């Protein structure tokens, strides 16, 4: 795990994902989940439009990646999990997405923050309330190749929200972004969240049936029908 001063450069982590992915595909390694932080980095998925890239990235690189979805941010204070796992025959890609979302939702619940899915918009969300509009706290972007997954989820713990002022996160302009620290009014570092998310990921990736948290109302991205953004090859 690379946290804090040992945060892992995004390109180094991507190369590690590729190596682990090939090993899992070949049967030379068991299913693996990488848990880490990145230095400030913007990553642009396959559906990112030119105008959605930050005009001023504040010194952070903008990297084109081989996952579905649009542009997002990774940086200190955000816990990233890359599950590199072989999908069982009875688990569809959509179910895998829902399981990862459920792990983030359950983690937030353990900290006293209520979240859920918004059909049409992947990730974990807080409903609009007197504190602000609907806002995302956990993002997801995936790739599935040869039956094995790559990329994963990012849960905002105490990441600086100023990085999100430089672009429109995931191309969704009518919602906000938040963190566990922002919602709870205290610092919630990645080290505090890691064992909780790790426990919930282990549960959903055991592939047993689970009870899904009820969704909020559907809110598809403007101009698009509800969908799950996963790049499969």
């Amino acid at each position: 795990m690379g946290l804090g001063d040992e945060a892992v450069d995004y390109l180094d982590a991507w190369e590690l994902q590729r190596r682990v992915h090939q090993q899992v595909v070949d049967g030379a390694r068991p299913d693996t989940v990488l848990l880490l932080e990145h230095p400030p980095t913007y990553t642009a998925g396959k559906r990112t439009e030119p105008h959605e890239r930050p005009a001023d990235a504040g010194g952070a690189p903008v990297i084109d990646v081989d996952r579905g979805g649009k542009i997002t941010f990774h940086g200190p204070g955000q816990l990233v999990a890359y599950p590199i796992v072989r999908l069982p025959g009875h688990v569809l890609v959509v179910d895998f997405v829902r399981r990862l979302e459920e792990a983030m939702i359950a983690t937030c619940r353990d900290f006293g923050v209520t979240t859920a899915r918004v059909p049409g918009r992947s990730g974990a969300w807080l409903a609009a309330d007197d504190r602000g509009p609907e806002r995302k706290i956990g993002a997801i972007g995936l790739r599935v190749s040869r039956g094995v997954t790559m990329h994963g989820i990012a849960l905002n713990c105490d990441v600086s929200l100023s990085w999100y002022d430089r672009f429109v996160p995931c191309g969704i302009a009518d919602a906000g972004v938040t963190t566990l620290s922002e919602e709870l009014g205290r610092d919630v570092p990645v080290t505090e969240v890691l064992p909780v998310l790790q426990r919930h990921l282990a549960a959903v990736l055991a592939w047993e049936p689970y009870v899904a948290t009820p969704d909020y109302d559907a809110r598809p991205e403007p101009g698009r029908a509800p969908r799950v953004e996963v790049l499969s090859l």
Side-chain angles (χ1 to χ4, degrees):
M1 291 181 290
L3 304 177
D5 293 340
E6 298 181 355
V8 183
D9 177 82
Y10 186 86
L11 290 176
D12 290 342
W14 195 5
E15 179 57 32
L16 175 60
Q17 283 194 73
R18 291 190 185 102
R19 293 199 304 271
V20 173
H21 181 273
Q22 186 61 55
Q23 291 167 346
V24 174
V25 167
D26 293 342
R29 184 188 186 109
D31 291 348
T32 301
V33 179
L34 306 177
L35 291 152
L36 47 83
E37 285 178 279
H38 290 302
T41 308
Y42 293 97
T43 64
K46 292 293 187 178
R47 203 161 53 80
T48 303
E49 301 290 341
H51 70 274
E52 293 170 333
R53 296 170 182 268
D56 175 8
V62 182
I63 300 173
D64 292 290
V65 294
D66 60 347
R67 60 162 171 79
K70 293 203 173 196
I71 191 164
T72 193
F73 173 78
H74 296 303
Q78 182 190 77
L79 178 55
V80 176
Y82 295 131
I84 304 174
V85 300
R86 185 180 300 279
L87 294 181
H90 69 284
V91 175
L92 301 177
V93 173
V94 171
D95 181 41
F96 177 63
V97 171
R98 300 296 176 241
R99 285 172 179 270
L100 296 186
E101 290 170 334
E102 192 66 32
M104 291 192 287
I105 291 166
T107 298
C108 291
R109 184 186 306 123
D110 283 357
F111 281 91
V113 176
T114 300
T115 64
R117 299 171 190 79
V118 175
R121 297 181 171 185
S122 63
W125 292 82
L126 279 80
D129 55 21
D130 56 5
R131 298 191 57 192
E134 184 178 84
R135 48 210 185 271
K136 178 181 278 191
I137 196 168
I140 183 168
L142 301 171
R143 173 186 170 92
V144 181
S145 177
R146 300 171 67 186
V148 176
T149 65
M150 284 183 64
H151 300 289
I153 58 175
L155 184 60
N156 290 344
C157 303
D158 60 351
V159 61
S160 172
L161 293 176
S162 64
W163 290 104
Y164 292 89
D165 295 335
R166 298 175 179 272
F167 75 118
V168 179
C170 303
I172 300 175
D174 62 349
V177 178
T178 191
T179 69
L180 287 169
S181 297
E182 181 76 13
E183 297 302 322
L184 293 172
R186 70 171 180 87
D187 187 42
V188 183
V190 163
T191 51
E192 184 177 349
V193 179
L194 188 148
V196 182
L197 179 62
Q198 196 169 29
R199 173 166 50 85
H200 287 298
L201 282 172
V204 298
L205 296 180
W207 311 119
E208 297 297 328
Y210 69 99
V211 178
T213 301
D215 294 345
Y216 293 141
D217 292 340
R219 288 175 57 81
E221 295 176 39
R224 298 187 69 88
R227 61 178 296 176
V228 176
E229 284 293 338
V230 182
L231 187 65
S232 294
L233 292 177

